[in-house]
Amino acid sequence: AIGEGLGHCLGLTSLSLIFLLTKVGDIGVQAVCRGFQKCVNLETILLDFAGTTISNVGAEDIGVAIANCTHLTSIRLDLLHTKILEPGLRAVVGSFEHCSKLTSLKLLLSETQVGDSGAKALGASLKSCIHLCSVFVALEGTGVGVQGKVDLGGSLQSCRNLTHLELILDDGHIQASSVDEVAQALSQLVEPLPMFEDDPEFAGNSTLDPAPDTVAHPQTEILPAPPTDSLPAPKTESLPTPPVESIANPPADASPNKQEIEQPNTAGHHAAADELRGGEPSGSHLRAEVGGSAPKKCCSLM
């Protein structure tokens, strides 16, 4: 009856259906989904099937119905404590790829055995939801291990507009409320975790490194240092000293007479004075003084 009524509400934009702890089963889910999948103008949807007996069959019907509502911007889907396994989850989350306008997703999968492959399928479908701003996913008790968390975190890194993230896991609760916090949380999520011997996921793995006592380490031989008195002293060859040629001092008379250069010859002046006093010889005379002075002309009085 509910499904038939929903089929006539073609202009419906918001829908909330809560079947918490009911015996709706796969047949009831199928009837409901056939009705609301005709509401192609839906923008917001809330489906609560927690604690019901729906299985992979009912999950496939949910996926088909959501895929027809391409205008959805907000989805809240509660499937915790159901019988849905990895194939059923793959059918549900595969419908998100058709919701290109999706900005908010809340998916509760606690206590469902979806495993690492289910977490990987969820991450792969969210890659196409580039407008996602808020994501809340509960995965405790689902069998999701290290690889599943790495795959989911790596896929969510493609959602560049993500500003709010909450992941509830078996080993903790991740919550981030800004772009930087989301990026930091996802980077920590995708980091490989250390392997311990008591971890059942890695127990009995023959490809791991052997025990430390079975590893052969090369031995380094230490050579004794030679005694210092047995080493011959290095020979130092004396190089011949080149001969030094003695430079003879120049003769004293070879050097120019500084006194003669600095003091000009005054003989011309005395001759001119003799002529003025009536002595010989008479006539005009030219004399050059040592020291670079110009020649002077002396006239005698007759």
Side-chain angles (χ1 to χ4, degrees):
I2 297 177
E4 292 179 2
L6 290 173
H8 299 286
C9 302
L10 302 182
L12 196 64
T13 58
S14 180
L15 175 64
S16 296
L17 295 175
I18 300 176
F19 297 97
L20 176 63
L21 298 175
T22 62
K23 298 181 180 180
V24 60
D26 291 333
I27 297 177
V29 172
Q30 184 180 29
V32 171
C33 290
R34 285 179 179 178
F36 86 79
Q37 70 181 1
K38 298 178 183 180
C39 305
V40 294
N41 294 319
L42 277 175
E43 297 177 359
T44 303
I45 190 172
L46 186 155
L47 300 176
D48 188 351
F49 295 104
T52 63
T53 59
I54 65 173
S55 63
N56 293 337
V57 178
E60 292 177 1
D61 293 326
I62 294 173
V64 172
I66 293 177
N68 287 334
C69 304
T70 56
H71 296 285
L72 284 172
T73 59
S74 176
I75 297 176
R76 175 175 175 176
L77 192 57
D78 192 343
L79 299 174
L80 60 87
H81 288 284
T82 60
K83 296 181 179 180
I84 294 177
L85 302 177
E86 183 271 333
L89 178 62
R90 187 181 295 273
V92 172
V93 300
S95 64
F96 299 160
E97 298 178 2
H98 301 277
C99 305
S100 58
K101 299 180 181 180
L102 190 64
T103 59
S104 177
L105 172 66
K106 189 170 185 178
L107 184 60
L108 306 180
L109 299 171
S110 303
E111 304 302 329
T112 57
Q113 298 302 313
V114 296
D116 288 340
S117 56
K120 183 178 181 180
L122 172 61
S125 65
L126 294 180
K127 276 186 175 182
S128 59
C129 303
I130 58 176
H131 299 293
L132 265 179
C133 297
S134 177
V135 172
F136 181 98
V137 180
L139 292 171
E140 74 270 26
T142 57
V144 176
V146 176
Q147 188 60 47
K149 290 184 288 187
V150 170
D151 292 337
L152 178 59
S155 298
L156 287 175
Q157 287 180 333
S158 301
C159 304
R160 302 296 184 182
N161 296 320
L162 202 59
T163 57
H164 181 79
L165 173 67
E166 284 192 59
L167 296 178
I168 301 178
L169 307 168
D170 288 334
D171 55 356
H173 182 191
I174 297 176
Q175 185 174 1
S177 56
S178 67
V179 176
D180 295 336
E181 291 181 1
V182 169
Q184 183 178 4
L186 292 177
S187 63
Q188 294 176 356
L189 189 65
V190 300
E191 287 181 356
L193 301 180
M195 292 181 283
F196 300 96
E197 293 181 359
D198 55 351
D199 192 338
E201 185 175 354
F202 303 102
N205 191 347
S206 59
T207 60
L208 298 179
D209 294 334
D213 55 352
T214 61
V215 179
H217 298 282
Q219 296 181 355
T220 303
E221 183 179 357
I222 301 176
L223 299 177
T228 55
D229 54 354
S230 62
L231 297 177
K235 296 181 179 181
T236 304
E237 296 182 0
S238 58
L239 299 177
T241 304
V244 179
E245 297 180 0
S246 59
I247 301 175
N249 294 327
D253 54 354
S255 59
N257 192 344
K258 183 177 180 181
Q259 185 177 2
E260 293 179 359
I261 295 176
E262 291 180 353
Q263 297 179 357
N265 188 3
T266 58
H269 294 283
H270 293 291
D274 294 337
E275 292 179 1
L276 290 176
R277 287 191 298 266
E280 292 181 0
S282 64
S284 62
H285 301 274
L286 288 178
R287 292 183 181 272
E289 296 183 0
V290 178
S293 58
K296 296 182 181 181
K297 182 176 180 181
C298 299
C299 300
S300 60
L301 297 178
M302 299 301 295

